[in-house]
Amino acid sequence: MPTMYVIPTESPNAFATGRNPKHASVAMTHGILGLLDDEELEGVLAHELGHVKNRDILTSSIAATLAGAITLIARFGYWASLFGYGGGGGGRRRDSGLTALLMLILAPIAAMLIQLAVSRSREYEADATGAHTTGNPYALARALQKLENYSKRVPMQATPAT
């Protein structure tokens, strides 16, 4: 069983983290405890435990690492072409610089799209796991609707690092 934490903030939210199921944690805010009824909270926690069970934190970490690697390789290619390490000369050098510039722009976009696709698919899988675990998919659906409506009124104050 993952370690459970309550974060003292009124913005309703919950998340799972940890490198594997043995070292996982699930956190929820004080706001979510007051907003949701017991069935809805059970659905949300089952969803978060679904992330742990499906090793989504590991999957997301790998996707983020690959996205960073794609971006880094594109930047190396760009700088290499600026300093003439792209091979060839004359017109080919100008073409390789243009190609490198396009890669510098397109590679991070492609990396972000890959990361977003992985993230979205993991969310759907955690929804399915949570609904299957509780046997009450409507409670999770009600919780998600409440969270969406309420979080627009009281957004969570967090830095990108958190």
Side-chain angles (χ1 to χ4, degrees):
M1 180 70 172
T3 307
M4 305 293 271
Y5 294 96
V6 176
I7 300 170
T9 183
E10 290 305 311
S11 181
N13 203 351
F15 62 90
T17 188
R19 65 181 186 262
N20 59 39
K22 288 184 179 183
H23 297 94
S25 299
V26 175
M28 66 210 88
T29 64
H30 187 263
I32 203 170
L33 296 174
L35 178 66
L36 303 180
D37 65 34
D38 288 347
E39 282 186 339
E40 294 164 345
L41 188 58
E42 178 184 46
V44 168
L45 291 177
H47 166 94
E48 297 305 331
L49 291 172
H51 283 303
V52 171
K53 178 182 177 188
N54 299 333
R55 298 179 181 262
D56 290 342
I57 296 100
L58 175 63
T59 304
S60 297
S61 297
I62 291 170
T65 302
L66 290 175
I70 290 169
T71 302
L72 191 62
I73 289 169
R75 287 185 181 178
F76 281 149
Y78 172 73
W79 287 106
S81 70
L82 284 181
F83 292 108
Y85 293 108
R92 286 186 60 201
R93 185 168 181 213
R94 187 173 44 238
D95 292 343
S96 68
L98 181 60
T99 302
L101 183 60
L102 283 174
M103 284 302 297
L104 186 65
I105 294 168
L106 296 178
I109 293 169
M112 180 183 66
L113 290 175
I114 291 168
Q115 195 171 358
L116 289 173
V118 167
S119 174
R120 183 58 36 211
S121 71
R122 301 318 316 149
E123 286 300 320
Y124 289 142
E125 188 62 31
D127 287 343
T129 301
H132 180 72
T133 300
T134 64
N136 188 0
Y138 297 110
L140 177 58
R142 284 193 319 268
L144 293 174
Q145 187 64 48
K146 277 186 181 180
L147 288 168
E148 180 181 0
N149 292 335
Y150 192 82
S151 67
K152 290 177 184 173
R153 290 184 278 152
V154 183
M156 184 155 191
Q157 301 298 319
T159 63
T162 58

